[in-house]
Amino acid sequence: NYKKIIIALAAVAVVLLGVLIFVYVDRNSIINDLTVDKETLTAEMMQLQQDYSALSSTNDTLNNELMLGKEKVAQLIERVKKTEASNKAKLLKYERELGTLRTIMRGYIKQIDSLNTLNTNLRKEAAVAKKEARESRKKYDNLKSTTEELGKQVELGSVVKGRGLTMVGVNETGKETDRSSRTAKLKTCLNLVENTIAKKGPRIVYLRVKGPDGILMTQNPMQMFTVQGEEMIYSASREVDYQGDEVEVCIYFEYGEQFTKGVYSVEAYTTETKLGSADLLLK
């Protein structure tokens, strides 16, 4: 009977030992699987953290949200590291949080792509706008240049010109003479030509008479006028009412002294331009 009992106990012991060995091996396998799950979860979180770090945007609000998401992933990694591999419930919870963070990150990627597309389109539109602005500026400059040129042409065209300028000597009775001894005055005549675009109204014609010695003849050296920015002394002048039609102007110059023999020259001006010149020989 003792032998039978011993044999039975031995058999039970063998069975129990087999069961313990099986349970131990199975437990280690489960622990190994859980450890692998924890490591895999940690690796996925680390990858997600890198993905967050790789994202950037020109939008400050979106950058702040990316920074917040990155911090959440870092905190989740720390919680996983501190959790036992056997605590499957917590690991499953963290895995769900990881999935949520991934979904959020995909939303950020879409926003960044949209912003990048928008920025690209805006840059293209800005480039087109700049090109159009340059072309408009070029057209404006060309138009301005053309307008200025036309303005100059109109300005030049509006200047009243003279023609047929002559100078003769006259005696006391007003008759023409070429004798210096009989000459009392010098008479200069010219025509202001027709100009329909010229400004109408009074105009002053100025004479500059030079004697045979080339010196300007004037009774008053303070008689000044300005033509094209240059001041000049004149010998005599006359105001004319110019209304756009051709008009003859005659101006007398009396020197107050005896005219001598020689060649006298005269130049006629308005404040706009020189009208002409002529010479006279007095014998």
Side-chain angles (χ1 to χ4, degrees):
N1 290 332
Y2 284 129
K3 286 182 179 181
K4 290 180 181 180
I5 293 171
I6 291 171
I7 291 171
L9 291 174
V12 172
V14 170
V15 172
L16 290 174
L17 179 62
V19 171
L20 289 173
I21 292 172
F22 174 78
V23 170
Y24 177 76
V25 171
D26 186 60
R27 180 179 179 277
N28 285 339
S29 177
I30 292 172
I31 291 173
N32 288 335
D33 290 341
L34 291 173
T35 301
V36 171
D37 289 343
K38 178 181 176 180
E39 291 175 354
T40 302
L41 184 60
T42 303
E44 290 177 356
M45 290 181 177
M46 296 290 290
Q47 182 61 49
L48 184 62
Q49 188 178 42
Q50 292 178 7
D51 293 341
Y52 265 98
S53 298
L55 295 178
S56 63
S57 170
T58 56
N59 186 282
D60 292 337
T61 302
L62 187 54
N63 280 335
N64 291 334
E65 291 179 1
L66 289 172
M67 184 65 67
L68 183 60
K70 184 178 176 182
E71 291 176 358
K72 287 182 178 179
V73 174
Q75 293 171 4
L76 189 57
I77 291 173
E78 289 299 319
R79 290 202 297 270
V80 170
K81 286 181 179 180
K82 294 177 180 178
T83 302
E84 295 292 334
S86 58
N87 195 340
K88 194 167 184 178
K90 278 194 174 182
L91 293 179
L92 288 173
K93 177 185 174 184
Y94 297 150
E95 187 174 5
R96 287 193 296 271
E97 291 183 19
L98 175 63
T100 301
L101 291 173
R102 277 183 180 150
T103 302
I104 294 173
M105 188 184 73
R106 283 194 290 269
Y108 291 150
I109 292 173
K110 288 182 180 179
Q111 291 185 52
I112 291 172
D113 288 342
S114 298
L115 287 173
N116 289 339
T117 302
L118 178 61
N119 288 336
T120 301
N121 292 335
L122 287 175
R123 283 194 292 270
K124 289 180 180 178
E125 291 175 2
V128 172
K130 286 181 180 179
K131 183 180 178 181
E132 291 176 349
R134 286 195 298 269
E135 291 176 352
S136 297
R137 180 65 186 181
K138 185 177 179 181
K139 290 179 181 178
Y140 170 77
D141 290 340
N142 291 336
L143 180 60
K144 182 180 179 182
S145 177
T146 303
T147 303
E148 289 176 351
E149 186 63 29
L150 290 174
K152 290 179 182 178
Q153 292 178 11
V154 170
E155 184 178 353
L156 291 173
S158 65
V159 173
V160 177
K161 297 181 181 180
R163 69 178 182 85
L165 188 146
T166 60
M167 182 171 64
V168 296
V170 294
N171 60 21
E172 293 290 348
T173 61
K175 293 184 178 181
E176 293 186 11
T177 179
D178 61 354
R179 298 293 180 180
S180 60
S181 59
R182 298 176 184 174
T183 300
K185 301 176 184 179
L186 298 178
K187 177 184 178 182
T188 301
C189 293
L190 74 155
N191 284 37
L192 297 181
V193 299
E194 179 182 358
N195 191 331
T196 57
I197 65 173
K199 182 179 179 181
K200 298 176 176 56
R203 269 181 172 75
I204 300 177
V205 178
Y206 300 92
L207 296 184
R208 283 170 54 84
V209 180
K210 292 182 181 179
D213 56 3
I215 297 175
L216 182 70
M217 302 174 69
T218 181
Q219 294 181 348
N220 183 1
M222 299 305 292
Q223 296 180 150
M224 306 286 292
F225 74 103
T226 302
V227 54
Q228 296 178 349
E230 181 182 358
E231 284 192 345
M232 292 183 177
I233 300 172
Y234 63 90
S235 306
S237 66
R238 180 182 172 185
E239 184 176 290
V240 182
D241 183 20
Y242 182 79
Q243 295 300 320
D245 298 322
E246 184 163 336
V247 59
E248 183 182 22
V249 183
C250 290
I251 305 173
Y252 291 89
F253 171 64
E254 185 175 3
Y255 189 43
E257 297 181 13
Q258 179 65 45
F259 288 97
T260 60
K261 296 180 180 180
V263 177
Y264 291 79
S265 64
V266 62
E267 294 176 343
Y269 293 87
T270 63
T271 55
E272 297 172 315
T273 188
K274 182 179 178 180
L275 300 175
S277 60
D279 293 326
L280 168 66
L281 173 62
L282 291 181
K283 300 176 182 179

